[in-house]
Amino acid sequence: MIRKSKNNEDKPDFEKMWSEVEENIQETDAEQDIVNRVPELKQLSIDIDKATTAVINLESSIRQTQREEGVLGAAVNTISKKVDSMQLGLVPKGL
């Protein structure tokens, strides 16, 4: 930070010192920006976790609904066959 002048005197290099100060200020500002974003990033992480859980629950509900549709479809077929057989029993024999 100190440079020699033409007459061999030691003089501070203010330009270099100022440049270092500016770099330190920029680094500090950048660090503070990151620190300021931490709560926002934490909330974003929480929101992503909630959304992921919601999607997993939705997929599980869809699978459960599909299984229940299958069971209901089988029950409808069984009832339909029984109704058909009862109707056949009610038809007069000559027809």
Side-chain angles (χ1 to χ4, degrees), residues 7-92:
N7 57 7
N8 288 334
E9 294 176 16
D10 288 341
K11 291 187 178 181
D13 186 351
F14 289 110
E15 259 184 58
K16 185 174 181 181
M17 290 170 58
W18 182 248
S19 177
E20 289 175 1
V21 167
E22 286 179 332
E23 285 178 22
N24 286 338
I25 290 171
Q26 288 175 349
E27 287 177 13
T28 301
D29 287 348
E31 289 171 357
Q32 190 59 45
D33 287 344
I34 291 170
V35 168
N36 289 341
R37 294 210 55 194
V38 166
E40 179 184 344
L41 295 172
K42 283 182 180 178
Q43 185 60 48
L44 183 59
S45 176
I46 290 168
D47 293 345
I48 289 170
D49 288 344
K50 286 179 182 178
T52 301
T53 299
V55 168
I56 290 169
N57 290 339
L58 180 60
E59 289 175 344
S60 177
S61 294
I62 289 170
R63 283 192 298 274
Q64 180 64 29
T65 301
Q66 289 170 338
R67 285 191 296 271
E68 290 170 356
E69 284 178 341
V71 170
L72 182 58
V76 167
N77 286 338
T78 300
I79 291 170
S80 178
K81 288 177 184 176
K82 288 184 179 186
V83 168
D84 289 346
S85 68
M86 287 190 297
Q87 288 176 342
L88 288 176
L90 297 175
V91 174

